[in-house]
Every structure is written in structure tokens, then in C-alpha cells.
């Protein structure tokens, strides 16, 4: 039986991916800060889910991850869906720093731990949900877009490092457009996708071992043209979301 760990499975996209994997016969370990949500998931699928409360911004998160891996009896897929995001037009420092602590410090802590685990074992698959927001800096969400760009570049770097060290580690960087989850609690967003639809795209991309998956087709087109916008023009565009 294949074993996956999902960090950030208490809501949103991570939770939908967790549902799909157990329905497809995976044995999974799920984590997040909200214990009730973890317990509810475990009760819904008796015998198929191990749970672990952890906060990726805390140093003991790696200890908790390793406990979860032991309880699962190993790990084939490490799936990181934990993340926060805010619009912050007033550039409140605490919002920016909280975003960086979760999406950069927490991300790095968990990804390095997973890389280390796969390096010491037969290898495995590391998948992360970053975002299309890393394509260019967004004035309304500076830390969010910058931290997502960090995640894209970090996974590029580890993919190269893994080859240099002849490791059997695969990587998938998942970049969705707008998804209707708690993360987008305020505001109206165009081309909104449902979390279960996005999760189906993700599971398909994982099976196909895609290196980068932009979800969905409309967003692939958008990102293609977005990349071509020159800096002088991008800085003058009043992007609201
Ligand atoms: N929604 C979108 O439009 C969209 C688009 C592109 C990319 N994404 C990315 O998709 C990922 C999942 O977000 P979502 O949209 O599914 O939103 P969500 O429902 O808010 O899910 C976020 C998940 O991250 C976990 N999390 C947050 N801080 C954490 C911490 N310090 N330690 C451990 N877990 C933590 C949350 O669990 P707890 O609160 O229980 O800890 C929750 O399970 C994020 O990385 C987000 O940036 C979202």
C-alpha cells in the first residue's frame, strides 16, 4: 500500500487531496494545527489515516513529522499544502512576516526534512502547492507573491541537487490559480475553481509525475502571457487581486 504524508490537510486543497488518496487506497498521514479537523478526517476513514498536530513555524515540527512517518511505517509521497496568504495593501509588517514564517521558514523546514528522509531511504516523491502568484510580484500581496516565487525556485534547486547527488527523488510543483478555500476568505476573484476539482487535477499530475503543474488550462494560458509582460508595463498595471 502506498503511503503519503500531507501537511495542511485540515482544510482546502490539502484536505480534498487527502480524500482522493484514501479513496484510491493510499494509507495517509495528515497534519496541521487544528486537531478537531484531523480527528474528523480520521473517523471518516477508519484504519486508513494517521494524524499529527504540528505547526510548520515551530522547531519541533520535524520531530512530529518523523513521528508521523514512523506511525505510517514509511513514506512514498510527501505533499506540502500548508500555507497562508493575505492581501496587504497597507503593508502591515506582521502580516508580511507571518506569511514569510509560514511560506518560507515553515516550507523550508518541512521540505528539507522530507528531502533528508528520502535521501536516507530508497527515494520518493516531494510535491508542493505553490501558486501562479509567484509569476510576478503582486502589489496587493507582496509577501504572498514573493514567498510563492521562493517556493518555485527552491524546488527547482532541489531537483537539480537531487540529480547531482544521484538521488531517486522526484518533484512536483503545483501552481493553481484562484481556488475557493478559506485562504480567499475576502474579496471576489475571477476564474474561481472548486477545491475538489483542483484536487483531481493534482492527483492526475502526481500520477503522471509532472514536474510543474499549472492548474487549470485557462491559468496555463494566463501565465504564458503574464510572463511576457515587460517590467516597465507590469509596474504600471493596477492589479486589484
Ligand atoms: N486558495 C487559492 O486560491 C490558492 C491558489 C494557489 C495556491 N494556493 C496554496 O494552496 C495551499 C493550500 O491553501 P488552501 O487554499 O487550501 O487554503 P486553506 O484551506 O486555508 O488551507 C491551508 C492549510 O495550511 C495549513 N496551515 C497553515 N498554517 C500552518 C502552520 N503554521 N502549520 C501547519 N499547517 C498550517 C492549514 O491548517 P491549520 O490551520 O489546521 O494549521 C490548512 O490545512 C497554500 O499553500 C496556498 O498558498 C491556494
Amino acid at each position: 500500500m502506498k503511503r503519503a504524508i500531507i501537511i495542511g490537510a485540515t482544510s482546502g486543497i490539502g484536505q480534498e487531496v487527502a480524500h482522493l488518496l484514501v479513496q484510491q487506497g493510499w494509507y495517509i498521514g495528515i497534519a496541521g494545527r487544528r486537531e478537531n479537523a484531523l480527528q474528523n478526517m480520521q473517523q471518516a476513514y477508519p484504519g486508513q489515516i494517521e494524524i499529527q498536530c504540528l505547526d510548520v513555524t515551530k522547531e519541533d515540527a520535524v520531530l512530529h513529522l518523523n513521528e508521523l512517518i514512523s506511525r505510517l511505517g514509511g513514506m512514498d509521497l510527501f505533499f506540502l499544502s500548508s500555507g497562508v496568504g493575505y492581501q496587504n495593501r497597507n503593508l502591515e509588517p506582521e502580516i508580511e512576516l507571518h506569511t514569510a514564517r509560514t511560506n518560507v521558514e515553515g516550507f523550508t523546514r518541512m521540505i528539507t526534512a522530507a528531502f533528508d528522509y528520502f535521501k536516507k531511504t530508497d527515494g520518493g516523491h516531494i510535491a508542493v502547492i505553490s501558486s501562479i502568484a509567484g509569476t510576478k510580484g503582486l502589489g496587493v500581496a507582496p509577501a504572498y507573491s514573493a514567498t510563492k516565487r521562493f517556493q518555485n525556485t527552491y524546488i527547482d534547486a532541489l531537483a537539480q541537487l537531487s540529480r547531482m547527488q544521484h538521488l531517486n527523488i522526484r518533484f512536483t510543483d503545483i501552481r493553481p490559480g484562484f481556488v475557493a478555500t478559506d485562504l480567499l476568505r475576502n474579496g471576489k476573484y475571477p476564474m474561481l475553481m472548486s477545491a475538489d476539482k483542483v484536487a483531481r487535477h493534482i492527483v492526475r499530475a502526481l500520477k503522471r509525475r509532472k514536474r510543474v503543474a499549472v492548474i487549470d488550462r485557462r491559468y496555463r494560458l494566463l501565465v504564458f502571457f503574464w510572463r511576457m509582460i515587460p517590467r516597465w508595463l507590469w509596474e504600471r498595471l493596477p492589479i486589484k487581486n
Side-chain angles (χ1 to χ4, degrees):
M1 192 186 283
K2 289 269 194 187
R3 293 155 301 184
I5 298 267
I6 305 176
I7 313 289
T10 49
S11 62
I13 307 169
Q15 189 172 61
E16 292 299 330
V17 169
H19 281 297
L20 286 182
L21 291 186
V22 277
Q23 284 160 13
Q24 293 179 11
W26 287 66
Y27 183 30
I28 65 169
I30 57 171
R33 291 166 302 179
R34 284 169 286 170
E35 198 165 10
N36 275 353
L38 295 172
Q39 286 167 346
N40 290 342
M41 281 286 285
Q42 191 178 37
Q43 281 159 16
Y45 301 99
Q48 275 188 276
I49 297 188
E50 301 291 338
I51 60 173
Q52 179 66 54
C53 235
L54 64 78
D55 181 338
V56 299
T57 66
K58 303 276 192 285
E59 274 182 22
D60 63 6
V62 171
L63 210 70
H64 292 316
L65 170 65
N66 288 330
E67 283 167 16
L68 187 56
I69 296 173
S70 301
R71 250 181 291 135
L72 212 59
M75 169 172 81
D76 303 295
L77 167 67
F78 178 77
F79 189 89
L80 192 70
S81 185
S82 53
V84 294
Y86 306 93
Q87 294 208 354
N88 191 13
R89 289 177 170 81
N90 296 330
L91 210 58
E92 287 174 34
E94 193 38 49
I95 293 181
E96 299 299 86
L97 292 170
H98 173 62
T99 306
R101 276 193 293 271
T102 308
N103 296 358
V104 174
E105 185 187 331
F107 176 91
T108 308
R109 176 174 288 119
M110 304 317 284
I111 293 296
T112 50
F115 189 94
D116 187 53
Y117 173 82
F118 287 137
K119 187 175 182 171
K120 290 177 179 153
T121 57
D122 290 341
H125 192 167
I126 293 177
V128 304
I129 306 188
S130 61
S131 172
I132 62 160
T135 305
K136 283 186 191 286
L138 290 163
V140 292
Y144 186 67
S145 54
T147 58
K148 291 298 170 179
R149 181 60 162 261
F150 171 90
Q151 296 179 351
N152 301 150
T153 307
Y154 201 80
I155 295 302
D156 287 348
L158 291 198
Q160 188 181 61
L161 181 67
S162 162
R163 284 179 190 272
M164 280 159 59
Q165 298 183 346
H166 307 290
L167 303 174
N168 182 25
I169 307 178
R170 297 184 304 282
F171 294 88
T172 302
D173 179 353
I174 298 147
R175 303 178 187 174
F178 293 127
V179 190
T181 67
D182 296 350
L183 193 114
L184 300 186
R185 57 197 91 57
N186 304 315
K188 284 191 174 164
Y189 294 88
M191 301 203 303
L192 201 60
M193 301 176 285
S194 67
D196 64 311
K197 178 189 158 187
V198 169
R200 285 196 298 276
H201 277 281
I202 290 173
V203 171
R204 222 173 301 137
L206 294 176
K207 276 197 187 134
R208 291 180 187 161
R209 302 181 172 193
K210 287 198 85 169
R211 177 59 189 80
V212 174
V214 176
I215 300 169
D216 57 5
R217 195 183 303 132
R218 295 165 305 165
Y219 282 101
R220 277 199 288 281
L221 200 65
L222 185 141
V223 167
F224 177 81
F225 287 111
W226 187 1
R227 281 184 205 282
M228 292 200 282
I229 301 175
R231 183 180 291 126
W232 65 266
L233 177 58
W234 176 250
E235 288 176 2
R236 285 166 174 76
L237 294 178
I239 305 292
K240 300 230 168 61
N241 281 310

